[in-house]
Amino acid sequence: TIFRWLHLFFGITWIGLLYYFNFVQIPTMPKIPAELKPGVSKHIAPAALFFFRWGAAMTVLTGLIVAWLAGYIVQALTLQAPYLLIGIGMWLALIMAFNVWFVIWPNQKKALGIVPAEDAVKAKAATTAMMFSRLNTMLSLAMLYCMVNFS
C-alpha cells in the first residue's frame, strides 16, 4: 500500500539523519575551524533537525497506520504472538520518537541557540542531546532487526 512506501521513505529519512548526526556531524564538528562552525550550527543542523524530527513523527504515524490496516496493531502493541517481534520494534520506535521530540529537540534548540540559554546550559544541553541521540542509534539497530525479520 501507499502507507508502506511512505513508512519506508520516512523511516529512511529519520534513521538516515540519525546516522548522519552520529557518524558524520558530531565527530566532524571539533575538526571544523571556528569561523566555519556557524555554517553548520545556524544553517545545516537546524534544517537537518527539522527533517529528523518530522521524519520520526511520520515514520511512527505511517507505521501505526500500516499495522492498523493490516489488522495487527493491537496484537503487536500488546506483544502477542505471532506479532511479538514487530511489536518490540514498534515500541522501540515509539521510545526513539519520544526521545527525538521531548529530549533531543528541546536540548538541541538550546545548544544551537534557537532559544536563549547561557553557555553552561548550552553545553549541558548539547551533551544531553548527544547522549540520547547515541541511545537512539543503539536502539535503532534492534528496531531495524525487528522490522526486517517480521513476516
Side-chain angles (χ1 to χ4, degrees), residues 71-136:
Y72 63 80
I73 191 167
V74 172
Q75 296 92 330
L77 289 174
T78 56
L79 305 176
Q80 296 176 31
Y83 302 98
L84 176 63
L85 195 60
I86 194 64
I88 291 169
M90 290 167 71
W91 277 109
L92 289 170
L94 288 166
I95 291 165
M96 291 168 59
F98 178 90
N99 288 344
V100 167
W101 279 93
F102 299 104
V103 182
I104 296 170
W105 174 236
N107 280 286
Q108 283 289 21
K109 287 193 289 187
K110 293 175 191 170
L112 295 172
I114 295 169
V115 298
E118 295 177 10
D119 288 345
V121 173
K122 284 183 180 185
K124 185 178 183 329
T127 300
T128 301
M130 182 188 71
M131 296 305 292
F132 275 83
S133 187
R134 295 275 164 87
L135 173 63
N136 273 9

Side-chain angles (χ1 to χ4, degrees), residues 3-79:
F3 288 106
R4 281 190 192 275
W5 285 105
L6 289 171
H7 182 60
L8 181 64
F9 171 77
F10 291 124
I12 290 169
T13 301
W14 177 20
I15 301 304
L17 284 165
L18 176 68
Y19 291 177
Y20 160 77
F21 286 127
N22 282 278
F23 299 122
V24 178
Q25 185 172 305
I26 292 171
T28 304
M29 283 303 285
K31 302 170 195 164
I32 296 175
E35 68 273 8
L36 299 178
K37 286 186 184 197
V40 175
S41 62
K42 299 292 181 206
H43 301 285
I44 294 171
L49 284 164
F50 173 85
F51 287 100
F52 175 67
R53 67 183 185 275
W54 286 106
M58 295 306 293
T59 300
V60 168
L61 177 63
T62 56
L64 292 171
I65 291 170
V66 166
W68 177 67
L69 290 174
Y72 63 80
I73 191 167
V74 172
Q75 296 92 330
L77 289 174
T78 56
L79 305 176

